[in-house]
Amino acid sequence: MTAAIAQASGSSSPGDKSWSMRTGVLIHHSSARSGRFLILPHPRTSVPTYYLHSDTLSSSSSSSFTGLSELYELSTLKDGKFDRSWMISDLNQVISSGQLEILSRVDARFLVISLIYSALEDGKFRSHEDTFEQIALVLQGRRKEEMVESIPSLKAKLSETGSTDQGEQDGLHLEWSDVVTFGNLALVQKALNEVADVQDLPNGEQAYRLSKAKIFTILDKKHAQLSLKSTFVASPNMLGRMFERRWQSESDPSAYLVAPQQDQQDSDCKEAKELRKSIAAEVIATNLPPKLAEEYFTHLGIAGEN
């Protein structure tokens, strides 16, 4: 679904709001209509990224919720050299000189894996609450250190005082409070049970520790599905183009990117299968911390992308 992005202009009262078109187009799934945006570190780069947590509407009613929820990543595409225009079919309107924003559904397990793997390296069991509070504290400390290193004058002050109080006064009080909010979501609790070892505590609560075996089992299933020829056939603009660019043989790669006709034998070869496996692994790695991605490539016996 596409929609033009609008913003409210100034008005004397809430009922007098007028709306004007902003230069942007948002593409989103029909279920991503409302919710709360959270700022979380991207699984691969750790760059602060917007994620929309949205409850799923019932198919029988546009106003009742199913109790399920989804997570969507907001990404922005903007051409730095040329202005782009977008046709909004629902509105029968062209948005000129606009940037394209996309809400893409993501698997919450990738974020849970990345947060724990990147922030909690001691491998200890922790309660659900303590897990995400500790992650937020570790990320906050790292971000503060990075900011201090990037500001020479502040670094000089801290070297003199030996305290971070001045840094917080100068606007470096950088909390990752959304990490704790994220940890309290029902879909995150489910994801945590799927990617971590669980230990029962005497007080009736449970403690969690990231499980490499569980992670690789999940990734193996995704990799097997993504490596299928039918998956590449269904994604000609992304996976298909990646396949064509990487194809080393002098033969035409298009034969391995089309579904066989009825009563026609499917054409495939070892080289095509291996290339699909490599591409699938690299796609999965875009949502893993670099070190974990290297471990997964080793697990698959595939050389990582240079």
Side-chain angles (χ1 to χ4, degrees):
M1 175 178 287
T2 59
I5 300 174
Q7 62 183 6
S9 60
S11 58
S12 58
S13 66
D16 295 330
K17 277 187 178 179
S18 61
W19 294 86
S20 59
M21 302 308 298
R22 199 179 80 193
T23 54
V25 177
L26 175 66
I27 298 178
H28 62 93
H29 191 272
S30 58
S31 61
R33 292 179 176 274
S34 62
R36 173 179 176 178
F37 274 104
L38 303 172
I39 299 178
L40 303 168
H42 187 275
R44 178 70 174 178
T45 64
S46 296
V47 172
T49 304
Y50 280 106
Y51 290 91
L52 175 68
H53 172 247
S54 179
D55 291 314
T56 304
L57 291 172
S58 170
S59 58
S60 60
S61 172
S62 60
S63 60
S64 62
F65 292 97
T66 63
L68 303 175
S69 59
E70 297 281 0
L71 197 68
Y72 301 87
E73 178 185 341
L74 179 66
S75 55
T76 301
L77 302 178
K78 184 174 177 61
D79 197 318
K81 295 183 179 180
F82 305 100
D83 290 335
R84 301 292 184 181
S85 297
W86 311 94
M87 176 65 185
I88 310 301
S89 57
D90 295 344
L91 302 177
N92 194 27
Q93 185 174 0
V94 175
I95 306 300
S96 301
S97 303
Q99 64 185 22
L100 181 64
E101 295 176 305
I102 304 173
L103 276 174
S104 306
R105 184 188 284 115
V106 296
D107 189 335
R109 292 178 296 186
F110 279 108
L111 275 83
V112 174
I113 291 169
S114 173
L115 287 170
I116 299 177
Y117 183 89
S118 301
L120 305 180
E121 301 176 351
D122 55 15
K124 294 181 179 179
F125 277 96
R126 288 180 172 85
S127 67
H128 180 278
E129 181 180 4
D130 188 42
T131 294
F132 290 94
E133 287 182 352
Q134 286 295 317
I135 291 172
L137 288 173
V138 170
L139 294 178
Q140 177 185 343
R142 289 179 183 173
R143 192 172 181 186
K144 185 180 295 184
E145 290 176 2
E146 292 170 357
M147 291 294 290
V148 168
E149 288 294 325
S150 66
I151 305 176
S153 60
L154 181 57
K155 184 178 180 180
K157 287 183 182 179
L158 294 179
S159 63
E160 294 174 0
T161 62
S163 171
T164 60
D165 292 342
Q166 183 63 45
E168 294 182 357
Q169 293 174 12
D170 290 344
L172 295 185
H173 188 63
L174 304 173
E175 296 183 357
W176 283 97
S177 58
D178 281 352
V179 169
V180 178
T181 303
F182 174 72
N184 291 328
L185 300 177
L187 84 166
V188 174
Q189 175 64 66
K190 182 176 183 294
L192 186 59
N193 281 304
E194 294 179 0
V195 304
D197 293 323
V198 183
Q199 185 180 76
D200 293 326
L201 300 177
N203 61 0
E205 295 183 357
Q206 292 180 317
Y208 303 88
R209 180 182 64 188
L210 201 62
S211 168
K212 196 73 66 67
K214 285 187 174 182
I215 292 173
F216 283 178
T217 297
I218 292 171
L219 297 182
D220 284 346
K221 290 180 180 179
K222 288 185 175 292
H223 182 257
Q225 181 64 37
L226 196 56
S227 301
L228 293 175
K229 180 180 178 180
S230 58
T231 304
F232 277 68
V233 171
S235 178
N237 293 329
M238 189 183 82
L239 296 178
R241 288 180 180 177
M242 293 173 69
F243 185 94
E244 290 176 336
R245 287 196 296 266
R246 300 272 293 277
W247 184 247
Q248 298 293 322
S249 174
E250 294 182 358
S251 61
D252 185 2
S254 61
Y256 308 108
L257 295 172
V258 294
Q261 300 294 325
Q262 191 174 12
D263 299 330
Q264 181 182 4
Q265 186 176 2
D266 189 14
S267 60
D268 210 353
C269 66
K270 180 180 178 181
E271 290 78 6
K273 292 178 181 178
E274 293 301 320
L275 179 55
R276 287 199 298 268
K277 289 180 180 179
S278 294
I279 293 174
E282 291 165 10
V283 171
I284 290 173
T286 61
N287 282 296
L288 295 175
K291 185 178 178 182
L292 181 57
E294 291 178 7
E295 293 181 44
Y296 186 59
F297 280 124
T298 301
H299 164 77
L300 292 174
I302 296 176
E305 185 179 19
N306 295 327

